[in-house]
Amino acid sequence: MNGLDLFGVRGSQASVIHVLLDEIARTRTTLQSLLPRESGSKEVDAALLSVIGFPAFAVEDAALVERTRTKVVTQLQGTYGCKRFLRDGHQTVIEDMHRLHYEPWELKQFEHLECEWPLFFTYLMLDALFRGDRPKPTITTNDFSLS
C-alpha cells in the first residue's frame, strides 16, 4: 500500500498513503507468526486464501503458503465450497439473527452445520492459475479404441 494514491491520476501528494518501513516489517512478522491460524481465537479461516494468494499475495514464504492452503482445504473444504471457519453459525438454520456473537461454549451447536461458500473455490482456482498449477490430462487404455 505504501505509495498508493487514493485518487489515482487525479490525486495529489495529500492523497498518497505513506507507510513506515518498520510498520511493514512488523506487520509481515505478525502475519507470518500467526499463520496458518487466522487469529488467536480461530484455528483456521478460509479468508486466509485471499491473503496468501490472490489478491494480496502477502506471504513470500512458499512453505508457509502451502501449509496454510493445505490446512484451509483439509479442514474447511466441503462439497459446495469452504466453510468460513469451524463452528461458524452465520446463515445456518439455528442462527439467532439478533445476536452479534456467541460465547465459545455456545459455538458447539454449529459443529458440522456450517455453511459452505463457493466463493472460496474461486480463490483456490485463481491461486492455482497464478501458481501455474493445472491438472495434467490422464490417458487410459479405455480412451482409445482399436478398429
Side-chain angles (χ1 to χ4, degrees):
M1 249 182 117
N2 191 29
L4 175 70
D5 190 332
L6 295 172
F7 297 106
V9 295
R10 295 186 201 139
S12 67
Q13 189 59 26
S15 61
V16 174
I17 294 177
H18 298 283
V19 183
L20 298 174
L21 293 179
D22 288 346
E23 298 303 318
I24 294 170
R26 185 182 353 207
T27 303
R28 179 176 288 128
T29 301
T30 302
L31 175 62
Q32 290 180 347
S33 69
L34 278 173
L35 291 175
R37 294 180 65 97
E38 188 271 341
S39 67
S41 64
K42 289 191 195 100
E43 190 64 29
V44 67
D45 190 313
L48 291 174
L49 295 173
S50 67
V51 174
I52 63 171
F54 177 83
F57 301 103
V59 180
E60 296 171 358
D61 181 346
L64 183 57
V65 168
E66 181 60 33
R67 192 166 63 241
T68 303
R69 183 186 318 103
T70 300
K71 191 165 186 178
V72 168
V73 169
T74 303
Q75 292 189 5
L76 303 177
Q77 182 174 326
T79 304
Y80 305 106
C82 293
K83 301 167 187 167
R84 293 188 315 162
F85 51 89
L86 296 175
R87 298 180 176 177
D88 174 23
H90 182 60
Q91 292 194 354
T92 61
V93 293
I94 62 173
E95 176 190 21
D96 181 354
M97 303 280 250
H98 303 290
R99 295 186 64 179
L100 293 177
H101 74 284
Y102 292 88
E103 297 301 324
W105 55 271
E106 294 177 294
L107 295 175
K108 181 99 171 119
Q109 66 184 328
F110 299 114
E111 195 167 322
H112 306 295
L113 187 63
E114 306 95 337
C115 290
E116 294 175 2
W117 301 82
L119 168 69
F120 295 114
F121 281 170
T122 306
Y123 283 116
L124 287 168
M125 289 187 331
L126 286 169
D127 183 51
L129 285 172
F130 278 101
R131 287 184 291 118
D133 182 11
R134 299 183 187 224
K136 313 256 183 306
T138 57
I139 299 173
T140 63
T141 56
N142 296 335
D143 292 335
F144 300 100
S145 62
L146 300 173
S147 332

